[in-house]
Structures are given as structure tokens and as C-alpha cells.
Amino acid sequence: MILFISPNKSLLTHGCVPVSSEWIIFLISLFLWTGSTKNSCTFNMLITMFHLSLIVFIIVAGFVKGSFSNFTEPDGFTPFGAKGIFNGAAIVFYSYSGYDSVSTLAEESQKPSKTMPIGISGSVVVVSVLYCLMATSLVLMVPYDQVIIMKFSS
């Protein structure tokens, strides 16, 4: 939370008005929406580059600082057998459900019959590789039996 110093001391006893991060994000978004498309595109590219650099950092840290013994200990390479592999694959399958929104942008591309399959296939390949590398690096850093799974009550 960021505090904005207010000249009106009656708002709070210390004269500070809390400004939450949601308002800051809203104001940045408002600036980008009222600005040009170029500003929005540049901001989106910067955020994407930040996310990719964070993912690459985690992958590199996992491979450098992780322990390869986590693949075989405590119960071997596949402690839950084929059922565990298929359960994991089913979870990963649902993470690709957002790619259908990319196909709605076909009307904005110059040659959609050529560029859309390349773009969708390329992004699925890149995301799949990054997902596998991220999962591998996380297993190298923390054994599977020490991962805390939070279950939400219904």
C-alpha cells in the first residue's frame, strides 16, 4: 500500500490517505487507454518482457541451484504411476484454453490464412517448452512431497 500525504488532517489521524495498488493500475490503464495504441502496445511489450525475464530467471535458478536427486527421491521418478502423469496432463490441457481468443484477431491481420496458424502453433510450442522447463526447474528446487497444495473449501 502506498500512502499519499493529505493536507486535510481530518481524513485520517495521521493525514495519510491509503492508495491501493488497484488504483495505481487503474490510473496507468486509463492513461494507456486514453493515449495512443502505440503507448498501449509498448507498455504491453514491456510487461511481457518482464514476465518472460522472470520465467527465464526461475528456470536458470532452478537448474543452477537445484538438486537432480529430486527426480528420483523419495519414491522414484513416477511415484504416482501413469495415473499421476495423466492427471497432470489433464491439468496442463486446461491451461491452453486461452488460445482460442487469439483466433478472434484474424480480421486484423493482413494474411490470416498464413499468419494465424503460424502464430498460434508457434506460441503453443514456445509456451509448452517454457512450461516443461519451469516444471523441471521447480522439481529440481523442491521435492514433490514438500510442495504444499492449498485446497479451497467449497
Side-chain angles (χ1 to χ4, degrees), residues 36-82:
S36 67
T37 306
K38 185 178 179 181
N39 289 346
S40 179
C41 183
T42 303
F43 182 73
N44 192 17
M45 184 187 66
L46 290 174
I47 295 297
T48 302
M49 296 308 289
F50 172 73
H51 288 151
L52 285 176
S53 63
L54 186 64
I55 289 171
V56 168
F57 173 75
I58 292 172
I59 290 170
V60 169
F63 279 98
V64 170
K65 295 291 185 178
S67 172
F68 284 95
S69 65
N70 289 342
F71 279 128
T72 57
E73 296 174 3
D75 295 329
F77 185 68
T78 56
F80 300 109

Short mmCIF file of all heavy atoms in Angstrom, two decimals, residues 36-82:
data_model
loop_
_atom_site.label_atom_id
_atom_site.label_comp_id
_atom_site.label_asym_id
_atom_site.label_seq_id
_atom_site.Cartn_x
_atom_site.Cartn_y
_atom_site.Cartn_z
N SER A 36 -2.38 6.75 -27.09
CA SER A 36 -2.41 6.11 -28.41
C SER A 36 -2.27 4.61 -28.29
O SER A 36 -1.93 4.06 -27.25
CB SER A 36 -1.29 6.68 -29.28
OG SER A 36 -0.04 6.28 -28.74
N THR A 37 -2.52 3.94 -29.41
CA THR A 37 -2.34 2.49 -29.46
C THR A 37 -0.87 2.15 -29.34
O THR A 37 -0.52 1.10 -28.80
CB THR A 37 -2.90 1.96 -30.80
OG1 THR A 37 -4.24 2.41 -30.93
CG2 THR A 37 -2.86 0.47 -30.85
N LYS A 38 -0.02 3.03 -29.79
CA LYS A 38 1.43 2.80 -29.69
C LYS A 38 1.87 2.74 -28.24
O LYS A 38 2.68 1.88 -27.86
CB LYS A 38 2.18 3.90 -30.44
CG LYS A 38 3.66 3.69 -30.50
CD LYS A 38 4.34 4.79 -31.29
CE LYS A 38 5.83 4.57 -31.33
NZ LYS A 38 6.52 5.62 -32.08
N ASN A 39 1.33 3.63 -27.39
CA ASN A 39 1.66 3.58 -25.96
C ASN A 39 1.22 2.27 -25.34
O ASN A 39 1.95 1.66 -24.56
CB ASN A 39 0.99 4.75 -25.22
CG ASN A 39 1.61 6.07 -25.53
OD1 ASN A 39 2.69 6.14 -26.10
ND2 ASN A 39 0.92 7.13 -25.19
N SER A 40 0.01 1.86 -25.66
CA SER A 40 -0.52 0.61 -25.12
C SER A 40 0.30 -0.59 -25.58
O SER A 40 0.59 -1.49 -24.80
CB SER A 40 -1.98 0.45 -25.54
OG SER A 40 -2.50 -0.74 -25.05
N CYS A 41 0.68 -0.60 -26.84
CA CYS A 41 1.49 -1.69 -27.38
C CYS A 41 2.87 -1.73 -26.73
O CYS A 41 3.37 -2.81 -26.39
CB CYS A 41 1.60 -1.54 -28.89
SG CYS A 41 2.50 -2.86 -29.70
N THR A 42 3.47 -0.57 -26.54
CA THR A 42 4.78 -0.50 -25.90
C THR A 42 4.71 -0.98 -24.45
O THR A 42 5.56 -1.75 -24.00
CB THR A 42 5.32 0.93 -25.94
OG1 THR A 42 5.38 1.35 -27.30
CG2 THR A 42 6.70 1.02 -25.32
N PHE A 43 3.69 -0.55 -23.73
CA PHE A 43 3.51 -0.98 -22.35
C PHE A 43 3.28 -2.49 -22.27
O PHE A 43 3.86 -3.17 -21.42
CB PHE A 43 2.34 -0.23 -21.71
CG PHE A 43 2.11 -0.58 -20.28
CD1 PHE A 43 2.98 -0.13 -19.30
CD2 PHE A 43 1.03 -1.36 -19.90
CE1 PHE A 43 2.78 -0.45 -17.97
CE2 PHE A 43 0.82 -1.68 -18.58
CZ PHE A 43 1.69 -1.22 -17.61
N ASN A 44 2.47 -3.03 -23.16
CA ASN A 44 2.20 -4.46 -23.19
C ASN A 44 3.48 -5.23 -23.49
O ASN A 44 3.74 -6.28 -22.90
CB ASN A 44 1.13 -4.76 -24.24
CG ASN A 44 0.61 -6.17 -24.13
OD1 ASN A 44 0.80 -6.84 -23.13
ND2 ASN A 44 -0.04 -6.62 -25.19
N MET A 45 4.30 -4.73 -24.40
CA MET A 45 5.57 -5.38 -24.72
C MET A 45 6.51 -5.37 -23.52
O MET A 45 7.17 -6.37 -23.21
CB MET A 45 6.24 -4.71 -25.91
CG MET A 45 7.52 -5.40 -26.34
SD MET A 45 8.42 -4.52 -27.61
CE MET A 45 8.91 -3.06 -26.74
N LEU A 46 6.57 -4.25 -22.79
CA LEU A 46 7.43 -4.16 -21.61
C LEU A 46 6.99 -5.13 -20.52
O LEU A 46 7.82 -5.80 -19.89
CB LEU A 46 7.45 -2.73 -21.08
CG LEU A 46 8.16 -1.70 -21.94
CD1 LEU A 46 7.98 -0.31 -21.36
CD2 LEU A 46 9.63 -2.04 -22.05
N ILE A 47 5.69 -5.23 -20.29
CA ILE A 47 5.20 -6.16 -19.27
C ILE A 47 5.46 -7.60 -19.68
O ILE A 47 5.85 -8.44 -18.86
CB ILE A 47 3.69 -5.92 -19.03
CG1 ILE A 47 3.46 -4.54 -18.43
CG2 ILE A 47 3.08 -6.99 -18.15
CD1 ILE A 47 4.09 -4.33 -17.08
N THR A 48 5.28 -7.91 -20.97
CA THR A 48 5.56 -9.25 -21.46
C THR A 48 7.03 -9.60 -21.32
O THR A 48 7.38 -10.71 -20.90
CB THR A 48 5.11 -9.39 -22.92
OG1 THR A 48 3.72 -9.09 -23.01
CG2 THR A 48 5.37 -10.78 -23.45
N MET A 49 7.91 -8.66 -21.63
CA MET A 49 9.35 -8.90 -21.48
C MET A 49 9.72 -9.10 -20.00
O MET A 49 10.57 -9.92 -19.68
CB MET A 49 10.15 -7.74 -22.08
CG MET A 49 9.98 -7.59 -23.58
SD MET A 49 10.27 -9.11 -24.51
CE MET A 49 12.01 -9.28 -24.35
N PHE A 50 9.07 -8.35 -19.12
CA PHE A 50 9.31 -8.55 -17.68
C PHE A 50 8.89 -9.96 -17.25
O PHE A 50 9.63 -10.64 -16.54
CB PHE A 50 8.56 -7.49 -16.87
CG PHE A 50 8.61 -7.73 -15.40
CD1 PHE A 50 9.76 -7.51 -14.69
CD2 PHE A 50 7.49 -8.21 -14.72
CE1 PHE A 50 9.81 -7.74 -13.32
CE2 PHE A 50 7.53 -8.44 -13.37
CZ PHE A 50 8.70 -8.21 -12.66
N HIS A 51 7.71 -10.39 -17.70
CA HIS A 51 7.24 -11.73 -17.35
C HIS A 51 8.16 -12.81 -17.90
O HIS A 51 8.49 -13.78 -17.19
CB HIS A 51 5.81 -11.96 -17.86
CG HIS A 51 4.78 -11.21 -17.10
ND1 HIS A 51 3.61 -10.79 -17.67
CD2 HIS A 51 4.73 -10.79 -15.82
CE1 HIS A 51 2.89 -10.16 -16.76
NE2 HIS A 51 3.56 -10.13 -15.64
N LEU A 52 8.58 -12.67 -19.14
CA LEU A 52 9.49 -13.66 -19.73
C LEU A 52 10.83 -13.69 -19.02
O LEU A 52 11.41 -14.76 -18.81
CB LEU A 52 9.67 -13.39 -21.22
CG LEU A 52 8.50 -13.77 -22.10
CD1 LEU A 52 8.76 -13.37 -23.54
CD2 LEU A 52 8.21 -15.27 -22.01
N SER A 53 11.36 -12.51 -18.65
CA SER A 53 12.63 -12.49 -17.93
C SER A 53 12.50 -13.13 -16.56
O SER A 53 13.43 -13.80 -16.09
CB SER A 53 13.17 -11.07 -17.83
OG SER A 53 12.30 -10.27 -17.07
N LEU A 54 11.36 -12.96 -15.91
CA LEU A 54 11.14 -13.60 -14.62
C LEU A 54 11.07 -15.12 -14.77
O LEU A 54 11.66 -15.86 -13.97
CB LEU A 54 9.85 -13.07 -13.99
CG LEU A 54 9.54 -13.52 -12.58
CD1 LEU A 54 10.60 -13.02 -11.61
CD2 LEU A 54 8.17 -13.04 -12.16
N ILE A 55 10.40 -15.60 -15.81
CA ILE A 55 10.31 -17.04 -16.06
C ILE A 55 11.69 -17.61 -16.37
O ILE A 55 12.08 -18.66 -15.83
CB ILE A 55 9.31 -17.32 -17.21
CG1 ILE A 55 7.89 -17.06 -16.72
CG2 ILE A 55 9.45 -18.75 -17.72
CD1 ILE A 55 6.85 -17.10 -17.82
N VAL A 56 12.47 -16.91 -17.20
CA VAL A 56 13.82 -17.38 -17.53
C VAL A 56 14.70 -17.38 -16.28
O VAL A 56 15.49 -18.30 -16.07
CB VAL A 56 14.42 -16.52 -18.66
CG1 VAL A 56 15.91 -16.79 -18.84
CG2 VAL A 56 13.69 -16.78 -19.96
N PHE A 57 14.55 -16.38 -15.43
CA PHE A 57 15.33 -16.34 -14.19
C PHE A 57 15.01 -17.54 -13.30
O PHE A 57 15.92 -18.18 -12.75
CB PHE A 57 15.03 -15.03 -13.43
CG PHE A 57 15.65 -15.00 -12.06
CD1 PHE A 57 17.01 -14.78 -11.91
CD2 PHE A 57 14.88 -15.20 -10.93
CE1 PHE A 57 17.59 -14.76 -10.64
CE2 PHE A 57 15.44 -15.18 -9.67
CZ PHE A 57 16.80 -14.96 -9.53
N ILE A 58 13.74 -17.88 -13.16
CA ILE A 58 13.37 -19.04 -12.34
C ILE A 58 13.90 -20.33 -12.94
O ILE A 58 14.40 -21.21 -12.22
CB ILE A 58 11.84 -19.09 -12.15
CG1 ILE A 58 11.39 -17.92 -11.29
CG2 ILE A 58 11.40 -20.41 -11.53
CD1 ILE A 58 9.89 -17.75 -11.20
N ILE A 59 13.84 -20.45 -14.26
CA ILE A 59 14.34 -21.65 -14.91
C ILE A 59 15.85 -21.78 -14.70
O ILE A 59 16.35 -22.85 -14.33
CB ILE A 59 13.99 -21.64 -16.41
CG1 ILE A 59 12.48 -21.83 -16.59
CG2 ILE A 59 14.76 -22.71 -17.17
CD1 ILE A 59 11.99 -21.61 -18.00
N VAL A 60 16.58 -20.70 -14.90
CA VAL A 60 18.04 -20.73 -14.73
C VAL A 60 18.40 -21.01 -13.26
O VAL A 60 19.27 -21.84 -12.97
CB VAL A 60 18.68 -19.42 -15.23
CG1 VAL A 60 20.14 -19.32 -14.82
CG2 VAL A 60 18.54 -19.31 -16.73
N ALA A 61 17.72 -20.36 -12.34
CA ALA A 61 18.00 -20.58 -10.92
C ALA A 61 17.71 -22.02 -10.53
O ALA A 61 18.45 -22.62 -9.74
CB ALA A 61 17.16 -19.63 -10.07
N GLY A 62 16.65 -22.60 -11.07
CA GLY A 62 16.32 -23.98 -10.76
C GLY A 62 17.36 -24.96 -11.26
O GLY A 62 17.72 -25.91 -10.56
N PHE A 63 17.86 -24.73 -12.46
CA PHE A 63 18.87 -25.64 -13.00
C PHE A 63 20.23 -25.43 -12.35
O PHE A 63 21.01 -26.37 -12.23
CB PHE A 63 18.98 -25.49 -14.52
CG PHE A 63 17.92 -26.25 -15.26
CD1 PHE A 63 16.78 -25.61 -15.71
CD2 PHE A 63 18.05 -27.61 -15.48
CE1 PHE A 63 15.79 -26.30 -16.38
CE2 PHE A 63 17.06 -28.32 -16.15
CZ PHE A 63 15.93 -27.66 -16.61
N VAL A 64 20.54 -24.21 -11.91
CA VAL A 64 21.83 -23.94 -11.29
C VAL A 64 21.84 -24.38 -9.83
O VAL A 64 22.77 -25.04 -9.37
CB VAL A 64 22.19 -22.44 -11.42
CG1 VAL A 64 23.40 -22.08 -10.58
CG2 VAL A 64 22.43 -22.08 -12.87
N LYS A 65 20.81 -24.02 -9.07
CA LYS A 65 20.79 -24.27 -7.63
C LYS A 65 20.03 -25.55 -7.24
O LYS A 65 20.08 -25.95 -6.09
CB LYS A 65 20.16 -23.08 -6.89
CG LYS A 65 20.94 -21.82 -7.00
CD LYS A 65 22.24 -21.92 -6.24
CE LYS A 65 22.99 -20.61 -6.24
NZ LYS A 65 24.22 -20.70 -5.48
N GLY A 66 19.31 -26.15 -8.16
CA GLY A 66 18.51 -27.32 -7.83
C GLY A 66 19.34 -28.58 -7.70
O GLY A 66 20.52 -28.63 -8.04
N SER A 67 18.71 -29.61 -7.19
CA SER A 67 19.36 -30.89 -6.99
C SER A 67 18.68 -31.94 -7.89
O SER A 67 17.47 -32.15 -7.81
CB SER A 67 19.24 -31.32 -5.53
OG SER A 67 19.71 -32.63 -5.37
N PHE A 68 19.50 -32.59 -8.72
CA PHE A 68 18.95 -33.59 -9.64
C PHE A 68 18.49 -34.85 -8.91
O PHE A 68 17.80 -35.68 -9.49
CB PHE A 68 19.96 -33.93 -10.73
CG PHE A 68 20.06 -32.87 -11.78
CD1 PHE A 68 21.02 -31.88 -11.70
CD2 PHE A 68 19.17 -32.84 -12.84
CE1 PHE A 68 21.10 -30.89 -12.67
CE2 PHE A 68 19.24 -31.86 -13.81
CZ PHE A 68 20.21 -30.88 -13.72
N SER A 69 18.85 -34.98 -7.65
CA SER A 69 18.37 -36.13 -6.88
C SER A 69 16.87 -36.03 -6.58
O SER A 69 16.25 -37.03 -6.22
CB SER A 69 19.15 -36.25 -5.57
OG SER A 69 18.88 -35.14 -4.73
N ASN A 70 16.28 -34.86 -6.75
CA ASN A 70 14.84 -34.71 -6.53
C ASN A 70 14.02 -35.47 -7.57
O ASN A 70 12.83 -35.69 -7.36
CB ASN A 70 14.44 -33.23 -6.56
CG ASN A 70 14.93 -32.49 -5.34
OD1 ASN A 70 15.27 -33.09 -4.33
ND2 ASN A 70 14.99 -31.18 -5.44
N PHE A 71 14.63 -35.83 -8.69
CA PHE A 71 13.91 -36.62 -9.69
C PHE A 71 13.69 -38.06 -9.25
O PHE A 71 12.72 -38.70 -9.65
CB PHE A 71 14.66 -36.64 -11.02
CG PHE A 71 14.44 -35.42 -11.85
CD1 PHE A 71 15.51 -34.70 -12.34
CD2 PHE A 71 13.16 -34.98 -12.16
CE1 PHE A 71 15.31 -33.57 -13.11
CE2 PHE A 71 12.95 -33.85 -12.92
CZ PHE A 71 14.03 -33.16 -13.40
N THR A 72 14.59 -38.59 -8.43
CA THR A 72 14.49 -40.00 -8.04
C THR A 72 14.13 -40.21 -6.58
O THR A 72 13.76 -41.32 -6.21
CB THR A 72 15.82 -40.72 -8.33
OG1 THR A 72 16.86 -40.04 -7.64
CG2 THR A 72 16.11 -40.73 -9.82
N GLU A 73 14.28 -39.21 -5.76
CA GLU A 73 13.95 -39.36 -4.35
C GLU A 73 12.69 -38.57 -4.05
O GLU A 73 12.45 -37.53 -4.67
CB GLU A 73 15.10 -38.84 -3.49
CG GLU A 73 16.36 -39.64 -3.66
CD GLU A 73 17.54 -39.03 -2.92
OE1 GLU A 73 17.35 -38.00 -2.23
OE2 GLU A 73 18.64 -39.55 -3.04
N PRO A 74 11.86 -38.90 -3.16
CA PRO A 74 11.91 -40.03 -2.23
C PRO A 74 11.35 -41.34 -2.79
O PRO A 74 11.70 -42.40 -2.30
CB PRO A 74 11.09 -39.55 -1.05
CG PRO A 74 10.13 -38.60 -1.62
CD PRO A 74 10.80 -37.97 -2.80
N ASP A 75 10.46 -41.32 -3.80
CA ASP A 75 9.81 -42.56 -4.22
C ASP A 75 10.03 -42.90 -5.69
O ASP A 75 9.19 -43.55 -6.30
CB ASP A 75 8.29 -42.46 -3.98
CG ASP A 75 7.95 -42.36 -2.52
OD1 ASP A 75 8.70 -42.94 -1.71
OD2 ASP A 75 6.95 -41.70 -2.18
N GLY A 76 11.09 -42.46 -6.29
CA GLY A 76 11.34 -42.77 -7.69
C GLY A 76 10.84 -41.69 -8.63
O GLY A 76 10.31 -40.67 -8.22
N PHE A 77 11.00 -41.95 -9.94
CA PHE A 77 10.70 -40.94 -10.95
C PHE A 77 9.20 -40.70 -11.09
O PHE A 77 8.76 -39.58 -11.26
CB PHE A 77 11.31 -41.36 -12.29
CG PHE A 77 11.15 -40.32 -13.35
CD1 PHE A 77 11.84 -39.11 -13.27
CD2 PHE A 77 10.33 -40.53 -14.43
CE1 PHE A 77 11.70 -38.14 -14.24
CE2 PHE A 77 10.18 -39.57 -15.41
CZ PHE A 77 10.87 -38.37 -15.31
N THR A 78 8.40 -41.72 -11.05
CA THR A 78 6.94 -41.57 -11.16
C THR A 78 6.27 -42.20 -9.94
O THR A 78 5.78 -43.33 -10.00
CB THR A 78 6.40 -42.22 -12.45
OG1 THR A 78 6.81 -43.58 -12.47
CG2 THR A 78 6.91 -41.51 -13.67
N PRO A 79 6.23 -41.49 -8.83
CA PRO A 79 5.67 -42.08 -7.61
C PRO A 79 4.18 -42.37 -7.70
O PRO A 79 3.68 -43.23 -6.99
CB PRO A 79 5.97 -41.03 -6.54
CG PRO A 79 6.12 -39.76 -7.29
CD PRO A 79 6.67 -40.12 -8.62
N PHE A 80 3.44 -41.67 -8.57
CA PHE A 80 2.01 -41.90 -8.70
C PHE A 80 1.66 -42.69 -9.94
O PHE A 80 0.49 -42.84 -10.28
CB PHE A 80 1.26 -40.56 -8.69
CG PHE A 80 1.48 -39.78 -7.43
CD1 PHE A 80 2.24 -38.62 -7.44
CD2 PHE A 80 0.95 -40.22 -6.23
CE1 PHE A 80 2.46 -37.92 -6.28
CE2 PHE A 80 1.16 -39.51 -5.06
CZ PHE A 80 1.92 -38.35 -5.08
N GLY A 81 2.66 -43.15 -10.67
CA GLY A 81 2.45 -44.00 -11.83
C GLY A 81 1.81 -43.27 -13.00
O GLY A 81 1.84 -42.04 -13.10
N ALA A 82 1.21 -44.05 -13.90
CA ALA A 82 0.59 -43.49 -15.10
C ALA A 82 -0.60 -42.60 -14.75
O ALA A 82 -0.86 -41.60 -15.42
CB ALA A 82 0.16 -44.61 -16.04
#
